[in-house]
Amino acid sequence: MLGPGESLCCMVTFRKKSTFCQESQTPLNTPDDSMTIRSLSLLLASVLAMGSSFGQVSSSSSSLQSSGAVDANTQFQGMISRGYKPLFNGEDLAGWRNPYSHGEAKVVDGEIHLLANDKFFLVTENKYADFRLSVEIHLPEGKANSGVMFRCHVDDDAKKKVYGYQAECDGSDRRWSGGLYDEGRRGWIWPSTKGRSEAQFLEHEEESKAAFENPTIANALNRNGWNRFVVTCVEDYITIEVNGVPTTSFRDAVDTNGYIGIQHHGEDGQTYRFRNLFIKELPDIPAERSVSLTEQAPVSVKKVNDEVILVDFGKVAYGNLKTRVPDTGRGEAIFHFGEKLKDGRIDRNPPGTVRYGETRIRKEVALKGNWVIPTPVDSRNTEQAGNKRAHPPAVLTPKTWRPVMPFRWVEIEGWEGEFKPEYIVRRAAFATDWNDQASSFECSDETLNKIWALCKYSIKATTFAGVYVDGDRERIPYEADAYLNQLSHYYTDDDVKMAATSFDWLIENGTWPTEWAPHMVFMAHAEWMYSGDIQWLKQRYELLKAKTLMHRSGEDGLVRSAEMDRKRHDIVDWPQKERDGYVFTEINTVVNAFHIEAIKQMAEMARAIGKNEEADAFESRVELAKASFQRTLFDETSGIYRDGVGTDHSSIHANFFPLAFGLVPDDKLAGVISWLKERDMQCSVYAAQYFMEGLFENGLDDKAIELMIADGDRSWKHMVESGTTISWEAWDLKYKPNQDWNHAWGAAPANLLPRFVLGAQSDAPGWTTAMIRPCPGGLAYARGTIPTPRGPVSIDWKNEATFEMSLTLPDGMVAKVDLPATGETTGVLVNGESVATTKAGDRWILTDEVSGSVMIKVK
């Protein structure tokens, strides 16, 4: 989707791809170079086919690669699992009709074949308004032209019976596939051309033709193969993609609903083929399937004065109110909703996007029973197409709920007579299957315990939309936000379906930052490691290729950033002032760290689903890129990484991201770790997830905990002491004046504390094997429960003269164990018996896996 201020027709140039190292010009060193080179060439071709996009405007990637890359059943089931309905059953033409007296439509091997000697359209029997439509088209050889009609109309009495919008499939040398044409009416809309377009569209003739001269768009169509067209209509906003390449983005309000149609252009003897026709009607409202309203009593109700009653629900939640209708009185009752108090009253002019709103209800004596008091509606977080600029749709909540917003306090004005606490409840929206008892954490530091409680509740409270959204300002899922939310959801709840739902939403509604695209790979990998669902992964694997940034990489394997990328798309950290002075260059250290981690995870997933040649190619690309990364971005003099090629500046981000992703060679670790150890929290709450990971994974757990509970306003301790009950979007309003106070990407300790302090992580898909690696960080004890798909993992350790741990694993799970080697220790006992170990630095690693309930002691 287009980001703020972006134009439609920004251009992209793909760099020449090669399997040779840029400097040495020698082939990649692999066991079978010829196979790897061939595999890499095919892989790059498929990435280019799917990953092209305007500049760094993320493609929705809603297209599947349709050249046989996935088997038909996997493809079909993948579309169904993502909420699509088939428009064609593969067996007959039920649901379709031919309004013409000529033309033949028949079903052949699961495809619709159209034959004719004059133009005609096969159309659906049903009309559709807002939707995402996916259709595959195979043009015949020779002169050919087809397309997908949408929101079109049928006049059975006219010669040109079918008219309206068409997504063009252009088999000519003109190459306008993916253009928007108004069949039988206004002609070409985008691109436009003299003699075939109306005057209003000719105003953008030069611009639109230039867009289709862009090689990325001009070459989007596979002239001799299958092509997937994706058309999305939301209100007046129309977008078209061809094989994952965005080709058209246009606003037009002439038609708001109509039929779907497919075209034969009329060439005698030619057969046009169509398959995999799916539609998803919009808006999709995930909360209808996975979220429920819970009635909550207030924790206090008090009279502020004779006119005002203040109700406190203890914590912020997304919801509205149910209250008793007053027995007496006329006029209005006014309900004020707020997240923040000021001088004992709800702050009616809060800073940033901290929430306040009011709802007025007219009292009527004749009414009996209860009112549902909806919160005021904020148009920004309900927009589906954007009034000023196009953006992904906001996630809507069910109409039956009535509007909701985040609030803790309610002030009531105009209530006459007595008001008792039992007169009012908050209807709070939480994931239906949320289990408060699924997870726990307690340690010897009370501040960390409070941080855990804040962050766990933040994850629960932000499940209100059914997918992970970025707080209440926009209610739009963003990839990085969603990934951090996903990690924490796994560690706080025991039935996590929302992660997969959020992935599916984002694969079709991608956002603009460069590094947000690789987060989609991270999300898929994390879901696979959590659930072990290989079918889910197979159904989505092809979609991930567009998210690796390989289409921006050069012969050395490193990603390049054009001027627009450096100015706009490469994000490094957010907000901008949290970048520690980062200097943006063509070869950006942070962007490339994300790229390498993404293709590394792609290799693992390719191997898991049996695509071994692609796995080999990804692995070779990782090694090439890692060598280039180290050679070009590491400063041997300072012993740390630069922000990019062409600058001597080294930010904290240029070092902790490589550290977190395991890119720092063993012989360089000490220097990078030593440098980072002296840094404070010079990054945002988003980037802190990765900063903390890098510290915990490299023996700096004491430093990580120190930063979490540090004094000042750049720590989670500050959030706790502020009195907030949901984590913030930024460390403080002064760092992001428009920040939300209900943003789950600020809740990273919800996953960091159980993952690293308790020390439990999945080490194999589906948690068949766990890695138990506690990082005490100077704490005297820690205990807790980690939910997994196989059941809870219970850990209780003490870090005194020796390190002792009680560990209980569910059935079907084994664990690798890695323990701190405290003091003058000589080995490890399991249930009182010595076991084989290896000492690596200051850690004891058990040779054999454990299962069931065990007592482990470092002796």
Side-chain angles (χ1 to χ4, degrees):
M1 291 292 182
L2 297 177
E6 295 182 72
S7 64
L8 172 67
C9 297
C10 44
M11 308 296 282
V12 62
T13 300
F14 289 106
R15 294 154 181 92
K16 181 180 178 182
K17 302 299 184 295
S18 170
T19 55
F20 293 87
C21 176
Q22 190 174 33
E23 291 191 357
S24 65
Q25 295 296 305
T26 54
L28 295 175
N29 182 20
T30 64
D32 184 347
D33 285 344
S34 62
M35 181 188 76
T36 302
I37 291 171
R38 181 176 67 254
S39 300
L40 185 55
S41 298
L42 292 171
L43 181 61
L44 285 167
S46 71
V47 170
L48 286 173
M50 296 188 60
S52 307
S53 59
F54 294 128
Q56 248 316 285
V57 181
S58 298
S59 163
S60 75
S61 297
S62 49
S63 62
L64 292 168
Q65 190 184 15
S66 48
S67 57
V70 290
D71 66 83
N73 183 61
T74 298
Q75 183 174 6
F76 180 86
Q77 293 302 325
M79 295 296 281
I80 298 301
S81 73
R82 288 165 51 210
Y84 285 84
K85 296 179 181 179
L87 287 171
F88 167 51
N89 62 22
E91 299 177 357
D92 57 42
L93 295 173
W96 293 82
R97 72 183 183 99
N98 179 4
Y100 297 82
S101 58
H102 64 275
E104 178 186 2
K106 59 183 180 180
V107 177
V108 180
D109 296 331
E111 301 172 6
I112 298 176
H113 287 194
L114 301 185
L115 302 90
N117 57 11
D118 197 1
K119 182 191 292 188
F120 86 101
F121 298 89
L122 190 71
V123 297
T124 58
E125 293 176 350
N126 294 330
K127 290 184 176 183
Y128 301 91
D130 287 1
F131 53 81
R132 180 170 286 110
L133 170 69
S134 181
V135 178
E136 288 185 20
I137 304 175
H138 196 302
L139 294 175
E141 294 181 1
K143 186 178 180 180
N145 183 284
S146 186
V148 181
M149 302 293 292
F150 56 97
R151 286 182 174 175
C152 70
H153 307 281
V154 178
D155 184 346
D156 289 299
D157 298 325
K159 182 178 180 180
K160 295 183 177 180
K161 298 180 183 295
V162 177
Y163 63 95
Y165 297 131
Q166 180 182 129
E168 181 79 4
C169 183
D170 183 5
S172 74
D173 291 339
R174 180 182 55 183
R175 298 186 178 187
W176 283 2
S177 289
L180 177 60
Y181 185 72
D182 194 354
E183 173 73 30
R185 202 165 47 181
R186 296 175 295 168
W188 279 102
I189 296 176
W190 184 275
S192 56
T193 189
K194 290 182 178 65
R196 300 198 64 189
S197 300
E198 294 187 351
Q200 61 177 315
F201 304 128
L202 290 176
E203 292 178 2
H204 58 242
E205 180 180 10
E206 182 178 349
E207 177 188 8
S208 60
K209 284 183 176 177
F212 279 81
E213 290 170 1
N214 174 357
T216 305
I217 296 176
N219 297 325
L221 187 80
N222 176 9
R223 179 60 184 83
N224 298 309
W226 285 101
N227 297 275
R228 179 167 292 277
F229 281 69
V230 176
V231 179
T232 305
C233 293
V234 178
E235 298 171 355
D236 65 340
Y237 186 49
I238 298 167
T239 63
I240 302 171
E241 300 172 18
V242 180
N243 294 325
V245 178
T247 56
T248 294
S249 174
F250 203 83
R251 289 188 181 274
D252 192 79
V254 168
D255 293 319
T256 58
N257 68 86
Y259 301 103
I260 307 298
I262 52 179
Q263 178 190 20
H264 190 296
H265 198 250
E267 295 85 1
D268 194 11
Q270 297 281 50
T271 299
Y272 288 77
R273 300 161 61 189
F274 303 83
R275 70 181 187 187
N276 295 326
L277 296 92
F278 293 91
I279 196 165
K280 179 191 290 187
E281 295 189 74
L282 302 175
D284 181 24
I285 305 178
E288 291 180 335
R289 304 185 292 274
S290 61
V291 182
S292 302
L293 295 177
T294 298
E295 292 191 355
Q296 298 177 316
V299 297
S300 71
V301 174
K302 65 178 183 180
K303 276 199 145 189
V304 176
N305 54 48
D306 291 341
E307 302 294 327
V308 178
I309 300 162
L310 180 65
V311 182
D312 180 8
F313 288 95
K315 293 180 179 180
V316 172
Y318 284 79
N320 52 37
L321 298 173
K322 184 174 79 174
T323 186
R324 172 178 168 174
V325 175
D327 292 331
T328 61
R330 293 186 180 276
E332 285 187 328
I334 306 174
F335 292 79
H336 301 268
F337 300 84
E339 283 186 289
K340 181 178 180 292
L341 286 187
K342 183 177 182 180
D343 300 326
R345 300 286 301 274
I346 290 177
D347 189 343
R348 300 186 186 185
N349 187 29
T353 46
V354 178
R355 286 309 187 200
Y356 163 76
E358 68 173 53
T359 299
R360 294 172 179 261
I361 300 295
R362 185 166 184 81
K363 296 182 291 183
E364 295 290 345
V365 175
L367 291 176
K368 301 296 179 185
N370 295 302
W371 275 326
V372 170
I373 313 295
T375 64
V377 176
D378 185 330
S379 60
R380 184 175 183 186
N381 61 35
T382 60
E383 287 180 342
Q384 296 300 285
N387 294 324
K388 296 182 179 179
R389 61 178 178 86
H391 58 65
V395 182
L396 301 181
T397 52
K399 286 185 178 180
T400 54
W401 290 4
R402 314 216 33 209
V404 298
M405 67 176 275
F407 69 94
R408 172 177 173 176
W409 289 278
V410 176
E411 284 183 8
I412 305 172
E413 292 183 89
W415 188 284
E416 297 180 8
E418 185 180 22
F419 188 91
K420 297 180 180 180
E422 57 266 30
Y423 288 179
I424 191 169
V425 294
R426 179 172 63 185
R427 306 193 315 156
F430 303 117
T432 302
D433 52 15
W434 182 273
N435 178 7
D436 277 320
Q437 308 309 312
S439 62
S440 64
F441 175 86
E442 182 185 3
C443 71
S444 56
D445 188 285
E446 188 56 33
T447 299
L448 273 184
N449 295 337
K450 292 176 180 178
I451 289 171
W452 160 259
L454 166 67
C455 294
K456 176 180 176 177
Y457 179 73
S458 299
I459 301 303
K460 175 182 179 179
T462 53
T463 60
F464 78 100
V467 291
Y468 305 136
V469 298
D470 71 327
D472 199 54
R473 184 171 56 255
E474 297 175 294
R475 297 192 192 175
I476 291 175
Y478 285 83
E479 294 87 340
D481 303 59
Y483 175 63
L484 271 59
N485 203 330
Q486 172 187 18
L487 293 180
S488 292
H489 199 174
Y490 289 153
Y491 279 91
T492 50
D493 198 6
D494 59 3
D495 188 7
V496 181
K497 301 182 181 69
M498 202 169 290
T501 305
S502 298
F503 175 91
D504 287 343
W505 181 285
L506 280 161
I507 208 72
E508 294 176 346
N509 296 286
T511 64
W512 54 271
T514 296
E515 298 97 306
W516 275 207
H519 276 92
M520 291 301 294
V521 179
F522 300 176
M523 287 188 74
H525 188 272
E527 173 63 17
W528 168 55
M529 290 296 290
Y530 173 79
S531 70
D533 189 341
I534 200 71
Q535 284 304 117
W536 183 91
L537 183 60
K538 284 181 178 179
Q539 292 163 2
R540 290 154 178 83
Y541 168 80
E542 293 294 333
L543 302 174
L544 291 170
K545 291 178 180 177
K547 305 298 183 180
T548 61
L549 305 180
M550 283 184 69
H551 61 284
R552 279 173 52 181
S553 64
E555 293 180 342
D556 57 0
L558 296 181
V559 170
R560 267 65 176 177
S561 296
E563 183 178 359
M564 178 61 77
D565 299 318
R566 298 193 292 272
K567 287 182 177 180
R568 172 67 187 162
H569 304 122
D570 296 355
I571 201 165
V572 174
D573 205 346
W574 195 261
Q576 297 97 320
K577 291 181 180 179
E578 295 283 29
R579 292 169 175 165
D580 192 28
Y582 198 92
V583 176
F584 289 80
T585 64
E586 183 185 15
I587 299 179
N588 175 318
T589 302
V590 171
V591 166
N592 276 285
F594 272 94
H595 167 60
I596 295 170
E597 179 65 14
I599 56 177
K600 182 174 72 176
Q601 293 188 14
M602 286 295 293
E604 293 179 31
M605 293 186 285
R607 189 82 63 197
I609 64 174
K611 290 186 174 289
N612 291 323
E613 286 196 18
E614 291 195 5
D616 290 341
F618 275 125
E619 287 168 357
S620 296
R621 195 71 175 178
V622 168
E623 293 308 310
L624 173 66
K626 282 174 65 177
S628 299
F629 185 91
Q630 188 64 25
R631 184 177 62 251
T632 61
L633 296 168
F634 188 78
D635 185 341
E636 294 287 350
T637 302
S638 64
I640 56 177
Y641 291 92
R642 297 182 289 259
D643 294 346
V645 174
T647 179
D648 291 327
H649 186 266
S650 294
S651 67
I652 192 173
H653 303 75
N655 287 275
F656 69 66
F657 279 115
L659 186 68
F661 295 145
L663 293 176
V664 185
D666 289 344
D667 63 335
K668 309 297 184 185
L669 266 175
V672 172
I673 288 173
S674 176
W675 187 81
L676 285 172
K677 192 172 182 179
E678 301 304 314
R679 308 274 82 78
D680 293 325
M681 193 75 83
Q682 295 160 234
C683 62
S684 75
V685 291
Y686 146 69
Q689 169 81 46
Y690 294 99
F691 187 19
M692 297 298 100
E693 286 182 6
L695 296 177
F696 274 120
E697 289 169 352
N698 290 277
L700 294 178
D701 35 297
D702 53 346
K703 173 69 174 181
I705 291 174
E706 172 191 319
L707 290 172
M708 286 185 182
I709 61 176
D711 294 328
D713 58 11
R714 300 182 67 81
S715 71
W716 283 281
K717 179 183 179 182
H718 174 58
M719 287 193 203
V720 167
E721 291 180 341
S722 76
T724 187
T725 59
I726 302 180
S727 55
W728 294 342
E729 184 182 4
W731 295 121
D732 194 82
L733 282 162
K734 72 182 182 183
Y735 302 113
K736 194 173 194 297
N738 69 334
Q739 74 154 319
D740 280 321
W741 272 16
N742 43 64
H743 209 101
W745 87 344
N751 73 79
L752 294 169
L753 294 174
R755 284 173 68 201
F756 296 109
V757 174
L758 291 180
Q761 300 192 50
S762 175
D763 200 56
W767 280 86
T768 54
T769 302
M771 168 59 74
I772 306 299
R773 185 181 179 275
C775 299
L779 298 172
Y781 70 84
R783 61 179 72 98
T785 303
I786 298 96
T788 82
R790 297 183 177 274
V793 172
S794 177
I795 296 174
D796 185 344
W797 58 251
K798 295 179 181 179
N799 182 38
E800 297 173 341
T802 61
F803 186 90
E804 300 182 22
M805 178 174 66
S806 171
L807 171 66
T808 300
L809 304 173
D811 293 341
M813 184 188 296
V814 297
K816 301 174 182 178
V817 178
D818 179 334
L819 301 172
T822 55
E824 299 297 323
T825 55
T826 58
V828 177
L829 302 175
V830 175
N831 293 332
E833 300 290 333
S834 292
V835 295
T837 58
T838 300
K839 191 173 185 183
D842 59 355
R843 308 287 300 187
W844 286 110
I845 302 172
L846 275 62
T847 302
D848 296 327
E849 297 166 341
V850 301
S851 61
S853 295
V854 291
M855 289 292 299
I856 305 175
K857 181 177 181 179
V858 176
K859 63 178 182 177

